Amino acid sequence: MILIVVEHSAGAVRKSALELVSLGRELAESRSEPLAALVIGAEPAGVAEQFARYVEQVVVVADAALEPARAEATTRAVTEVARSLEASVVLIAASRSGLSYAPRVAMRLGAAYLEDVTEVASEAGGLVATRMTYLARVATTVVSEAAAFVVSVKLGAYPVAEAGVAGAVRSLTVALSADDLRLEPGARQAAVKGRVALEEADVVVCGGRGFGSGEAFERLAVGLADQLGAGVGATRAVVDAGWRPYGEQIGQTGKTVAPALYLALAVSGAVQHLSGMNRSGVIVAVNKDADAPIFKVADYGIVGDVLEVVPALQQALAEVG
Ligand SMILES: Cc1cc2nc3c(=O)[nH]c(=O)nc-3n(C[C@H](O)[C@H](O)[C@H](O)COP(=O)(O)OP(=O)(O)OC[C@H]3O[C@@H](n4cnc5c(N)ncnc54)[C@H](O)[C@@H]3O)c2cc1C
């Protein structure tokens, strides 16, 4: 059994879960094993119904104590379900949350853990995985012949799967212990109403220190993102300056994103930033320095001042409606 752990938010399946379906289907076929998905949460029935359009078997664990998520409680739920289904491969998105519990699940299952991989294939009963290292500059191949695997998969590594099955949903109960619930989750930063979440966005507008001030960033980078219905990202320099919250930081010590379109505005393109966005589909950079490293990864580049180029873009967008 190949088991996908489904990430969801505000009653909707996350893009990362649909990416895991693409990989899950490949592994299910090559290993001749069935594919199932696990949805956990306080009231996950709606999400499970949505997911049954992608996977034949969907297992739901509903428990108020599973939200907001705690790594210990999630570990318990995923481990118990993986055991009861005798899963040979558990697929988890390598999001911040996924990376917090995936290795714990592997340890409890006595499974091999393949972390943050970009490709996985079945080979001679085992798995062969590709993993980027040294700030995404070197690809390593990991071969494992274990009996069971937990695999965390880099966001954006696989395409979003198409719906097309009429799966069945069933419930399982998992007993959470006091130990699983001993940590009190902190308050989450409320998402800005109407703005798409960074990890879900098809378009990301990321701004760098070159905006010169938080006010210019808000007016131009955030303004452009809102016009495009895009997610807002920032470099670490911007976050360190206090212009934007840490939740918007993209890069080695921030989030990893892989939108279809990434606008890098006044971003130098430091390696630590690139490792968080270099799997984006089309990269467009605006920088006043023609030698800025961001142009090495950009598909389209504008050498210019963001204080002039962004208002011009905003005006052009306003004109086309
Ligand atoms: C361990 C470690 C982890 C890190 N993790 C991260 C991370 O997760 N994410 C991250 O982003 N960084 C990270 N960094 C920091 C990284 O090395 C860079 O310092 C940072 O990305 C630079 O941000 P920036 O491009 O906004 O600023 P700068 O390097 O200051 O670049 C600003 C750019 O804007 C251009 N510019 C200036 N004015 C204008 C203008 N008016 N119009 C157009 N262009 C203009 C400049 O030519 C320049 O290219 C990390 C560093 C370390 C050591």
Side-chain angles (χ1 to χ4, degrees):
M1 169 82 71
I2 314 291
L3 180 65
I4 292 169
V5 183
V6 178
E7 285 197 332
H8 56 95
S9 163
V13 169
R14 291 202 142 188
K15 195 170 142 202
S16 60
L18 300 180
E19 292 168 3
L20 293 186
V21 173
S22 297
L23 169 59
R25 285 176 182 164
E26 276 180 31
L27 290 178
E29 192 178 332
S30 56
R31 293 170 66 92
S32 305
E33 292 183 44
L35 179 62
L38 166 63
V39 184
I40 66 171
E43 288 175 9
V47 172
E49 290 299 335
Q50 290 171 42
F51 217 72
R53 295 168 49 228
Y54 295 88
V55 167
E56 299 283 353
Q57 298 181 50
V58 181
V59 173
V60 180
V61 176
D63 190 323
L66 288 166
E67 275 182 44
R70 299 165 173 89
E72 290 80 3
T74 307
T75 301
R76 171 82 60 193
V78 175
T79 306
E80 295 300 319
V81 172
R83 266 200 198 115
S84 91
L85 298 180
E86 296 179 1
S88 69
V89 183
V90 180
L91 299 176
I92 296 172
S95 59
R96 293 243 144 206
S97 139
L99 291 173
S100 73
Y101 67 83
R104 303 176 200 222
V105 173
M107 198 198 69
R108 292 209 193 159
L109 291 174
Y113 179 45
L114 304 177
E115 186 187 42
D116 205 19
V117 304
T118 53
E119 262 175 71
V120 191
S122 188
E123 202 176 273
L127 290 183
V128 181
T130 305
R131 206 178 152 246
M132 304 308 288
T133 185
Y134 291 108
L135 294 170
R137 289 176 158 192
V138 176
T140 50
T141 304
V142 186
V143 182
S144 176
E145 289 171 356
F149 304 88
V150 173
V151 185
S152 60
V153 183
K154 200 167 190 66
L155 304 183
Y158 280 83
V160 166
E162 299 285 331
V165 296
V169 177
R170 71 180 162 119
S171 292
L172 282 181
T173 309
V174 171
L176 299 172
S177 72
D179 258 4
D180 297 330
L181 303 173
R182 72 187 194 283
L183 294 181
E184 212 35 66
R188 282 180 74 96
Q189 196 174 10
V192 177
K193 209 170 169 225
R195 186 170 305 139
V196 61
L198 194 49
E199 303 89 329
E200 300 296 298
D202 284 332
V203 180
V204 168
V205 175
C206 178
R209 179 153 50 191
F211 276 94
S213 70
E215 181 279 320
F217 192 108
E218 178 76 34
R219 181 166 45 85
L220 299 172
V222 177
L224 181 62
D226 286 346
Q227 245 179 312
L228 290 167
V232 176
T235 62
R236 178 159 151 182
V238 164
V239 173
D240 286 350
W243 301 349
R244 301 302 300 171
Y246 170 66
E248 292 179 0
Q249 183 176 316
I250 294 173
Q252 184 194 350
T253 44
K255 287 183 173 158
T256 299
V257 296
L261 174 63
Y262 190 88
L263 298 172
L265 309 176
V267 170
S268 58
V271 282
Q272 296 89 353
H273 183 76
L274 299 184
S275 66
M277 47 66 75
N278 59 6
R279 300 186 69 82
S280 302
V282 173
I283 299 172
V284 179
V286 181
N287 197 303
K288 67 180 185 185
D289 175 5
D291 294 324
I294 192 72
F295 288 126
K296 293 202 178 114
V297 297
D299 299 285
Y300 298 94
I302 299 174
V303 179
D305 186 335
V306 285
L307 305 180
E308 293 167 10
V309 174
V310 177
L313 277 174
Q314 286 180 300
Q315 197 185 333
L317 282 167
E319 280 166 15
V320 295

